[in-house]
Amino acid sequence: MYLTTISTVYNHYKDTWFYILEQVITLAHKVAEHPSVDASRVYLMGASMGGYGTWQLAMSVPELCAAMIPVYGGGMAWNVGRLSERGVWAVHGEKDAFVSCEESRHMIEALGKSDKVRFS
């Protein structure tokens, strides 16, 4: 099951995910607990603001997801150690005009080398 963090909430919460983080966590738990969902195979994914939300949701409740794919996002690298047992595939273009590639690179470097971590 994929849980995609939707960046359309941008229109209402332009500066940060923190205003709605508790609601997103509650929603993610409800989805993961649904009888048709294999809770051991929940994958988080989001792009741009959704990429930031993906990092934040995974770091807030790492037990919720098996892996994550943040696309041109970033976050609080000091907290990324909580994801050491999770698969992470961060994707970011060097020429991104809106989110610096350094945001993703900083997160991946903080995770360290692992066969569970990929950056492209």
Side-chain angles (χ1 to χ4, degrees), residues 42-44 54-55 58 62 65-70 82-90 108 111 114-118:
V42 173
Y43 304 96
L44 305 178
T54 298
W55 281 111
C65 68
M68 58 183 279
I69 305 171
R82 300 190 67 183
L83 302 175
S84 62
E85 298 300 314
R86 305 291 174 256
V88 177
W89 182 5
I108 293 300
L111 271 172
S114 167
D115 60 347
K116 295 182 178 190
V117 177
R118 183 174 176 186

Short mmCIF file of all heavy atoms in Angstrom, two decimals, residues 42-44 54-55 58 62 65-70 82-90 108 111 114-118:
data_model
loop_
_atom_site.label_atom_id
_atom_site.label_comp_id
_atom_site.label_asym_id
_atom_site.label_seq_id
_atom_site.Cartn_x
_atom_site.Cartn_y
_atom_site.Cartn_z
N VAL A 42 3.57 -0.75 4.04
CA VAL A 42 3.12 0.62 3.81
C VAL A 42 4.33 1.43 3.35
O VAL A 42 5.38 1.43 4.00
CB VAL A 42 2.51 1.24 5.09
CG1 VAL A 42 2.20 2.72 4.89
CG2 VAL A 42 1.26 0.47 5.50
N TYR A 43 4.18 2.11 2.21
CA TYR A 43 5.27 2.90 1.63
C TYR A 43 4.82 4.35 1.53
O TYR A 43 3.75 4.63 1.01
CB TYR A 43 5.64 2.36 0.24
CG TYR A 43 5.99 0.90 0.29
CD1 TYR A 43 5.04 -0.06 0.01
CD2 TYR A 43 7.26 0.50 0.67
CE1 TYR A 43 5.35 -1.41 0.08
CE2 TYR A 43 7.58 -0.85 0.74
CZ TYR A 43 6.63 -1.79 0.44
OH TYR A 43 6.94 -3.13 0.53
N LEU A 44 5.63 5.25 2.03
CA LEU A 44 5.33 6.68 1.98
C LEU A 44 6.00 7.29 0.77
O LEU A 44 7.15 6.96 0.45
CB LEU A 44 5.81 7.38 3.25
CG LEU A 44 5.32 6.83 4.58
CD1 LEU A 44 5.94 7.61 5.72
CD2 LEU A 44 3.81 6.87 4.65
N THR A 54 6.78 13.64 3.60
CA THR A 54 7.17 12.23 3.65
C THR A 54 8.28 12.02 4.66
O THR A 54 8.23 11.12 5.49
CB THR A 54 7.61 11.75 2.25
OG1 THR A 54 6.49 11.87 1.35
CG2 THR A 54 8.09 10.32 2.28
N TRP A 55 9.31 12.88 4.59
CA TRP A 55 10.40 12.79 5.57
C TRP A 55 9.85 12.95 6.99
O TRP A 55 10.16 12.19 7.89
CB TRP A 55 11.47 13.86 5.32
CG TRP A 55 12.44 13.58 4.23
CD1 TRP A 55 12.52 14.22 3.02
CD2 TRP A 55 13.49 12.61 4.22
NE1 TRP A 55 13.55 13.71 2.29
CE2 TRP A 55 14.17 12.72 3.00
CE3 TRP A 55 13.92 11.65 5.15
CZ2 TRP A 55 15.26 11.93 2.67
CZ3 TRP A 55 15.01 10.85 4.82
CH2 TRP A 55 15.66 10.98 3.60
N ALA A 58 7.59 10.01 8.21
CA ALA A 58 8.42 8.82 8.48
C ALA A 58 9.24 8.98 9.76
O ALA A 58 9.37 8.04 10.53
CB ALA A 58 9.33 8.53 7.30
N PRO A 62 8.16 6.17 12.56
CA PRO A 62 8.93 5.26 11.69
C PRO A 62 8.37 3.84 11.66
O PRO A 62 8.53 3.13 10.67
CB PRO A 62 10.34 5.30 12.27
CG PRO A 62 10.18 5.81 13.67
CD PRO A 62 8.98 6.69 13.65
N CYS A 65 5.93 2.75 8.48
CA CYS A 65 6.26 2.46 7.08
C CYS A 65 7.40 1.46 6.93
O CYS A 65 8.27 1.35 7.77
CB CYS A 65 6.60 3.75 6.34
SG CYS A 65 8.12 4.54 6.86
N ALA A 66 7.34 0.74 5.81
CA ALA A 66 8.41 -0.18 5.46
C ALA A 66 9.52 0.57 4.72
O ALA A 66 10.70 0.26 4.86
CB ALA A 66 7.87 -1.30 4.58
N ALA A 67 9.11 1.55 3.93
CA ALA A 67 10.07 2.33 3.13
C ALA A 67 9.43 3.63 2.71
O ALA A 67 8.23 3.85 2.90
CB ALA A 67 10.50 1.52 1.91
N MET A 68 10.25 4.50 2.13
CA MET A 68 9.75 5.81 1.71
C MET A 68 10.48 6.30 0.48
O MET A 68 11.64 5.93 0.24
CB MET A 68 9.91 6.82 2.85
CG MET A 68 11.34 6.97 3.32
SD MET A 68 11.54 8.09 4.71
CE MET A 68 11.51 9.66 3.88
N ILE A 69 9.79 7.14 -0.29
CA ILE A 69 10.38 7.75 -1.48
C ILE A 69 10.07 9.25 -1.45
O ILE A 69 9.05 9.69 -1.97
CB ILE A 69 9.83 7.13 -2.78
CG1 ILE A 69 10.01 5.61 -2.77
CG2 ILE A 69 10.52 7.74 -4.00
CD1 ILE A 69 9.30 4.90 -3.91
N PRO A 70 10.94 10.04 -0.81
CA PRO A 70 10.75 11.48 -0.86
C PRO A 70 11.35 12.03 -2.15
O PRO A 70 12.49 11.73 -2.49
CB PRO A 70 11.51 11.99 0.37
CG PRO A 70 12.56 10.94 0.61
CD PRO A 70 12.00 9.64 0.10
N ARG A 82 16.21 7.94 13.10
CA ARG A 82 15.02 7.14 13.41
C ARG A 82 14.63 6.25 12.23
O ARG A 82 13.83 5.34 12.38
CB ARG A 82 13.85 8.05 13.76
CG ARG A 82 14.15 8.91 14.98
CD ARG A 82 12.94 9.60 15.45
NE ARG A 82 12.03 8.56 15.96
CZ ARG A 82 10.82 8.77 16.41
NH1 ARG A 82 10.35 9.99 16.42
NH2 ARG A 82 10.07 7.80 16.85
N LEU A 83 15.20 6.52 11.05
CA LEU A 83 14.84 5.77 9.85
C LEU A 83 15.89 4.73 9.47
O LEU A 83 15.84 4.17 8.38
CB LEU A 83 14.65 6.74 8.67
CG LEU A 83 13.61 7.82 8.88
CD1 LEU A 83 13.59 8.78 7.71
CD2 LEU A 83 12.24 7.20 9.09
N SER A 84 16.81 4.44 10.38
CA SER A 84 17.93 3.56 10.05
C SER A 84 17.50 2.16 9.62
O SER A 84 18.23 1.48 8.90
CB SER A 84 18.90 3.46 11.23
OG SER A 84 18.24 2.90 12.35
N GLU A 85 16.32 1.71 10.01
CA GLU A 85 15.84 0.38 9.63
C GLU A 85 14.87 0.42 8.45
O GLU A 85 14.31 -0.61 8.07
CB GLU A 85 15.16 -0.29 10.83
CG GLU A 85 16.10 -0.51 12.00
CD GLU A 85 17.27 -1.41 11.63
OE1 GLU A 85 17.05 -2.45 10.99
OE2 GLU A 85 18.41 -1.05 11.98
N ARG A 86 14.65 1.58 7.88
CA ARG A 86 13.69 1.73 6.79
C ARG A 86 14.41 1.91 5.46
O ARG A 86 15.50 2.45 5.40
CB ARG A 86 12.79 2.96 7.02
CG ARG A 86 12.07 2.96 8.33
CD ARG A 86 10.99 1.88 8.36
NE ARG A 86 10.37 1.77 9.66
CZ ARG A 86 10.64 0.81 10.53
NH1 ARG A 86 11.51 -0.11 10.25
NH2 ARG A 86 10.03 0.75 11.69
N GLY A 87 13.77 1.46 4.41
CA GLY A 87 14.29 1.72 3.08
C GLY A 87 13.99 3.16 2.68
O GLY A 87 12.88 3.65 2.91
N VAL A 88 14.97 3.84 2.12
CA VAL A 88 14.80 5.22 1.67
C VAL A 88 15.36 5.36 0.27
O VAL A 88 16.52 5.02 0.03
CB VAL A 88 15.52 6.23 2.61
CG1 VAL A 88 15.38 7.65 2.09
CG2 VAL A 88 15.00 6.12 4.04
N TRP A 89 14.54 5.83 -0.65
CA TRP A 89 15.02 6.17 -1.99
C TRP A 89 14.65 7.62 -2.22
O TRP A 89 13.50 7.95 -2.52
CB TRP A 89 14.39 5.28 -3.04
CG TRP A 89 14.87 5.54 -4.44
CD1 TRP A 89 15.84 6.40 -4.84
CD2 TRP A 89 14.37 4.93 -5.63
NE1 TRP A 89 16.00 6.37 -6.20
CE2 TRP A 89 15.10 5.47 -6.72
CE3 TRP A 89 13.39 3.99 -5.87
CZ2 TRP A 89 14.85 5.09 -8.03
CZ3 TRP A 89 13.16 3.62 -7.19
CH2 TRP A 89 13.89 4.15 -8.24
N ALA A 90 15.60 8.51 -2.03
CA ALA A 90 15.38 9.94 -2.24
C ALA A 90 15.73 10.28 -3.69
O ALA A 90 16.74 9.83 -4.22
CB ALA A 90 16.24 10.76 -1.28
N ILE A 108 20.25 12.38 3.15
CA ILE A 108 20.88 11.10 2.80
C ILE A 108 22.23 10.97 3.48
O ILE A 108 22.59 9.90 4.00
CB ILE A 108 20.99 10.95 1.27
CG1 ILE A 108 19.59 10.83 0.66
CG2 ILE A 108 21.87 9.78 0.88
CD1 ILE A 108 18.77 9.64 1.14
N LEU A 111 21.81 9.96 7.00
CA LEU A 111 21.46 8.54 7.15
C LEU A 111 22.69 7.64 7.10
O LEU A 111 22.72 6.59 7.70
CB LEU A 111 20.49 8.12 6.05
CG LEU A 111 19.02 8.29 6.33
CD1 LEU A 111 18.20 8.02 5.09
CD2 LEU A 111 18.57 7.37 7.46
N SER A 114 24.26 2.72 3.50
CA SER A 114 23.47 1.55 3.84
C SER A 114 22.90 0.96 2.56
O SER A 114 22.65 1.69 1.60
CB SER A 114 22.33 1.92 4.79
OG SER A 114 21.40 0.87 4.89
N ASP A 115 22.72 -0.34 2.56
CA ASP A 115 22.10 -0.95 1.39
C ASP A 115 20.60 -0.63 1.32
O ASP A 115 19.93 -0.92 0.34
CB ASP A 115 22.33 -2.46 1.35
CG ASP A 115 21.75 -3.18 2.57
OD1 ASP A 115 21.40 -2.52 3.56
OD2 ASP A 115 21.66 -4.41 2.50
N LYS A 116 20.07 0.00 2.36
CA LYS A 116 18.66 0.40 2.40
C LYS A 116 18.45 1.83 1.95
O LYS A 116 17.33 2.31 1.91
CB LYS A 116 18.10 0.24 3.83
CG LYS A 116 18.07 -1.18 4.30
CD LYS A 116 17.47 -1.25 5.68
CE LYS A 116 17.41 -2.69 6.13
NZ LYS A 116 16.64 -2.84 7.35
N VAL A 117 19.53 2.54 1.60
CA VAL A 117 19.44 3.95 1.25
C VAL A 117 19.92 4.15 -0.19
O VAL A 117 20.99 3.66 -0.57
CB VAL A 117 20.29 4.81 2.22
CG1 VAL A 117 20.26 6.27 1.81
CG2 VAL A 117 19.81 4.63 3.65
N ARG A 118 19.11 4.87 -0.95
CA ARG A 118 19.46 5.16 -2.34
C ARG A 118 19.15 6.63 -2.62
O ARG A 118 18.14 7.16 -2.17
CB ARG A 118 18.63 4.25 -3.25
CG ARG A 118 18.94 4.41 -4.70
CD ARG A 118 18.18 3.38 -5.49
NE ARG A 118 18.42 3.59 -6.91
CZ ARG A 118 17.83 2.94 -7.87
NH1 ARG A 118 16.96 1.99 -7.57
NH2 ARG A 118 18.09 3.19 -9.12
#
